[in-house]
Amino acid sequence: MWWQDAVVYQIYPRSFQDSDGDGVGDLRGITQRLDHLAYLGVDALWLSPIYPSPLADFGYDVSDYTGIDPQFGTMGDFDELVAAAHERGLRVLLDLVPCHTSIEHPWFREHPDRYIWSPVDGPPNNWVSAFGGPGVESRRGERPLVPALVLSRAAGPRTGATRKSSRRCRTSSASGSGRGVDGFRLDAIDRLVKDEQLRDDPPASRPFPLPLDPEAARLEMRYSGNRPEAIEALRALREAAGDALLVGELYRPVGEYERWLEVLDLVFAFEFLFSPWDAERLRAAIEPAAELRRAAWVMSNHDFDRLATRVGPENLRAAAVLLLTLPGTAFVYQGDELGLANGPGHEPPFDRAGRDRLRHPMQWDAHGGFTSGTPWLPLVDPEARNVADERADPGSLLNLYRSLIELRRELGAGFRLLDAEPGVVAFERDRHTVAVNTTAEPRPAPEGEPVLATHEGEGLPPHAALIVRN
Ligand code: BGC
Ligand code: MG
């Protein structure tokens, strides 16, 4: 399978490249910048949603699953982007959002029966939405921002709607209507099916390993989502998608991934994403995810703090080594290869959940290079870090990403975590040993011929990572 050791680059379309001066990134802009992905050597790109949307949740509130939002361009622009990506050997993943729609989706008016409504005036149960607040809306209540779908009732039996849209987007069919998409990231997939009887979620009996809204953390998601029926429903999507890559955004403990991997190819390793930069904690997150062989390594995305902010700039080089030498598929969020940190966001906020600061535009040169107009969010620090300067500097973080992506092709299939010095994560990949020093003190280097080092100096300097060959 092409994706098994692939590096997937996440593009946040509003913030990658603007081609028409309106300050918002667009599809033509992405096509113009594909050389950056080719330079890095990644295998695929994932586009966060590009469908028509009133932007109550910045594109994750979809009002038409089969269209392109005019701000992003046209279907012709999309076809050109896919063709240009394929020409460079880059696969294309779309974001599929099957658990809720925008209130502006025609179904919301024409088929209210396809949504979950409270039978009483007010919330019918204790469900908590991902952003806090009640999880089910009363028909007479306020209008929900992104109403949840009852999947079994949406456009025919089982997952009719999403099945059709995934089929339409996929490989060219005889009719020529396919669009050549190579896979999908499945949004919030643990919420695909909810209990028909709207039963209360029970109180949580143990702490949840991932950050949650405090209200949600008090409950165990047993009825509001995480249903075994979801896996059955996904079989239909699996069938329609054929061999297209399906990667699930499953916000659950890694111990639960296995059953979802019956129908999905990959699931994001969220415990790894949230692990503090501490060797013990990292090992604890890596071990079970690596055992599955199909966890997608990821350290940041458009929802959570940027990598530079989370691990600190001093650890960015070592974090790049870790992310790109673990066995299996890795996801890189645009800008992380430059060391971009969280930005100031916007006042008043655009995003209801405070995520503007993770979504500032790409910095292509010292002036920005993102748009000829006024960017929808300001650029953070283009003079300090940008693609042009980092390309020219052999010692830059960008060029470290590039070297690692090249080197990872030489790492074998094997993987074994090693007992290491305190504060060091070390593992073998067949003939290579990787050692990552998470501390501010020097540590001894692993034995072998150095192949790649993040820092100069003897041993394993503070915050450094080293790859040796045995
Ligand atoms: C997406 C978020 C979105 C949420 C609701 C996710 O997990 O990544 O950006 O707000 O789903 O669709
Ligand atoms: Mg634009």
Side-chain angles (χ1 to χ4, degrees):
M1 289 294 170
W2 67 267
W3 45 263
Q4 253 152 5
D5 295 302
V7 179
V8 183
Y9 186 91
Q10 181 189 356
I11 290 181
Y12 194 71
R14 292 182 73 76
S15 299
F16 196 62
Q17 177 64 52
D18 176 27
S19 72
D20 59 4
D22 69 350
V24 173
D26 43 52
L27 297 175
R28 282 174 175 240
I30 297 170
T31 306
Q32 286 165 14
R33 292 292 190 185
L34 285 178
D35 277 344
H36 177 60
L37 277 67
Y39 180 79
L40 275 170
V42 301
D43 303 282
L45 57 102
W46 149 35
L47 297 176
S48 277
I50 51 171
Y51 321 106
S53 161
L55 302 183
D57 192 24
F58 275 82
Y60 285 90
D61 51 324
V62 178
S63 56
D64 174 6
Y65 290 92
T66 61
I68 303 287
D69 194 286
Q71 268 211 313
F72 290 137
T74 64
M75 197 57 87
D77 296 334
F78 177 70
D79 289 340
E80 270 171 38
L81 167 57
V82 174
H86 286 169
E87 247 164 59
R88 289 172 173 78
L90 293 163
R91 317 266 178 160
V92 179
L93 311 185
L94 290 183
D95 214 313
L96 191 62
V97 189
C99 309
H100 47 253
T101 72
S102 157
I103 50 172
E104 287 182 22
H105 194 289
W107 290 347
F108 192 66
R109 263 171 288 116
E110 293 160 18
H111 297 283
D113 56 303
R114 292 180 184 169
Y115 297 82
I116 301 175
W117 297 98
S118 170
V120 296
D121 200 1
N125 56 23
N126 68 352
W127 296 1
V128 177
S129 103
F131 299 106
V136 177
E137 305 292 334
S138 133
R139 250 180 227 256
R140 270 162 291 176
E142 288 161 35
R143 305 221 309 165
L145 281 176
V146 280
L149 279 168
V150 184
L151 201 73
S152 54
R153 296 185 216 141
R158 304 220 283 174
T159 50
T162 49
R163 197 168 57 211
K164 268 186 229 144
S165 78
S166 87
R167 194 174 279 153
R168 240 180 259 175
C169 293
R170 250 195 16 94
T171 43
S172 338
S173 58
S175 68
S177 65
R179 308 226 89 92
V181 166
D182 304 288
F184 300 91
R185 176 257 192 192
L186 304 181
D187 183 69
I189 202 66
D190 43 317
R191 292 169 185 263
L192 187 65
V193 176
K194 288 128 190 129
D195 182 44
E196 288 267 348
Q197 298 168 51
L198 304 180
R199 280 172 282 189
D200 272 351
D201 277 334
S205 54
R206 65 195 126 157
F208 194 70
L210 305 170
L212 275 186
D213 172 89
E215 249 184 292
R218 283 198 282 274
L219 300 171
E220 177 195 317
M221 189 199 262
R222 187 182 300 170
Y223 296 113
S224 59
N226 195 29
R227 303 293 306 155
E229 300 92 297
I231 294 163
E232 292 317 305
L234 279 171
R235 287 189 201 284
L237 185 62
R238 172 78 276 173
E239 237 172 78
D243 63 359
L245 168 61
L246 296 182
V247 46
E249 187 208 20
L250 189 66
Y251 203 72
R252 302 292 311 166
V254 65
E256 296 181 11
Y257 286 4
E258 205 163 345
R259 57 196 178 112
W260 294 83
L261 286 169
E262 284 172 32
V263 284
L264 303 176
D265 298 304
L266 295 169
V267 173
F268 288 116
F270 277 120
E271 275 147 294
F272 177 67
L273 184 152
F274 286 112
S275 172
W277 193 248
D278 166 273
E280 278 308 301
R281 303 282 294 276
L282 285 165
R283 285 177 64 101
I286 290 168
E287 198 161 19
E291 241 162 63
L292 287 172
R293 300 309 256 174
R294 286 195 284 138
W297 305 109
V298 58
M299 291 188 118
S300 82
N301 65 25
H302 63 295
D303 288 330
F304 309 112
D305 280 337
R306 275 194 171 273
L307 186 55
T309 301
R310 218 162 44 71
V311 303
E314 69 282 13
N315 292 311
L316 273 177
R317 298 173 71 80
V321 171
L322 184 61
L323 175 66
L324 294 168
T325 57
L326 286 168
T329 315
F331 279 66
V332 174
Y333 179 41
Q334 71 174 52
D336 278 358
E337 76 279 28
L338 304 177
L340 192 62
N342 287 2
H346 193 264
E347 251 340 296
F350 291 120
D351 177 55
R352 60 188 167 136
R355 294 169 293 183
D356 296 333
R357 57 193 207 289
L358 328 169
R359 300 172 177 180
H360 288 267
M362 269 299 273
Q363 304 181 164
W364 297 102
D365 57 41
H367 307 288
F370 164 69
T371 180
S372 59
T374 308
W376 74 284
L377 272 177
L379 278 75
V380 178
D381 54 0
E383 315 78 24
R385 70 198 80 246
N386 64 69
V387 173
D389 288 353
E390 293 202 30
R391 261 175 91 143
D393 171 6
S396 68
L397 184 64
L398 172 65
N399 279 321
L400 175 65
Y401 269 78
R402 185 176 195 235
S403 305
L404 285 163
I405 291 169
E406 200 184 327
L407 175 65
R408 63 188 261 121
R409 307 195 194 289
E410 284 165 40
L411 305 177
F415 175 75
R416 193 164 66 91
L417 270 173
L418 301 171
D419 290 326
E421 297 281 324
V424 174
V425 179
F427 50 88
E428 267 175 14
R429 298 289 316 271
D430 293 344
R431 291 188 53 220
H432 291 85
T433 302
V434 179
V436 176
N437 183 357
T438 64
T439 75
E441 289 108 47
R443 293 283 185 264
E447 271 172 41
E449 175 206 338
V451 183
L452 183 147
T454 59
H455 293 63
E456 288 179 8
E458 291 299 299
L460 196 54
H463 310 295
L466 179 64
I467 306 174
V468 298
R469 194 168 18 224
N470 301 111

